[in-house]
Amino acid sequence: MKLVNIDTYPGHRYEALGIVKGTVVQTKNIGRDFMAGMKTLVGGEIVGYTEMLNEARQIATKRMVDEAEALNADAIVGVRYGSSQVMQGAAEVIAYGTAVKFID
C-alpha cells in the first residue's frame, strides 16, 4: 500500500474510495510512568513515552491500511496523524486519509 501525506498522488489518475482510519488508545505502564516522573526532575526526552507513541502510530497506520485494503485501494492520500489524551495516562492516536484506486 502506498501512503502519501500530500493531497494528490503524482503521476496517477485515481478515484476516491472514501476516508479510511485507524485508531488505538495506548496506556503507559507503571514502570514507564515511574521513569517518566524521574526524568521530569532532570529534563530531556522521555524515551518510554516516545516508544509508546511510535508503537501506537504503527498500530493506527496498520489499521488504516487494513481498511483501505478491504476497499481494494491502491494508495492512501492525504495521510494525517492526530493524538489526544483520553484519560490520565492514556493517549489516543489516529491515522486517517483517503483511500484511492488508480484508474490509469
Side-chain angles (χ1 to χ4, degrees):
M1 180 69 56
K2 296 170 173 51
L3 306 175
V4 294
N5 66 348
I6 55 179
D7 293 329
T8 61
Y9 198 94
H12 289 282
R13 291 184 19 208
Y14 52 83
E15 67 173 298
L17 301 177
I19 295 173
V20 289
K21 47 83 180 96
T23 62
V24 63
V25 176
Q26 195 89 352
T27 62
K28 55 192 177 198
N29 65 36
I30 292 173
R32 282 185 182 159
D33 197 27
F34 176 75
M35 294 307 292
M38 298 304 291
K39 189 68 169 182
T40 61
L41 297 175
V42 295
E45 179 182 9
I46 302 172
V47 175
Y49 285 173
T50 300
E51 291 170 354
M52 178 189 77
L53 289 172
N54 281 334
E55 179 182 344
R57 276 190 292 278
Q58 289 173 351
I59 294 167
T61 300
K62 182 182 180 331
R63 290 177 180 173
M64 175 184 66
V65 167
D66 290 346
E67 276 195 18
E69 287 175 343
L71 297 173
N72 292 316
D74 295 313
I76 304 172
V77 298
V79 173
R80 304 286 188 266
Y81 291 93
S83 64
S84 63
Q85 181 177 345
V86 294
M87 59 181 262
Q88 185 67 28
E92 176 195 31
V93 173
I94 182 168
Y96 60 96
T98 302
V100 300
K101 182 80 173 164
F102 295 143
I103 56 176
D104 60 355

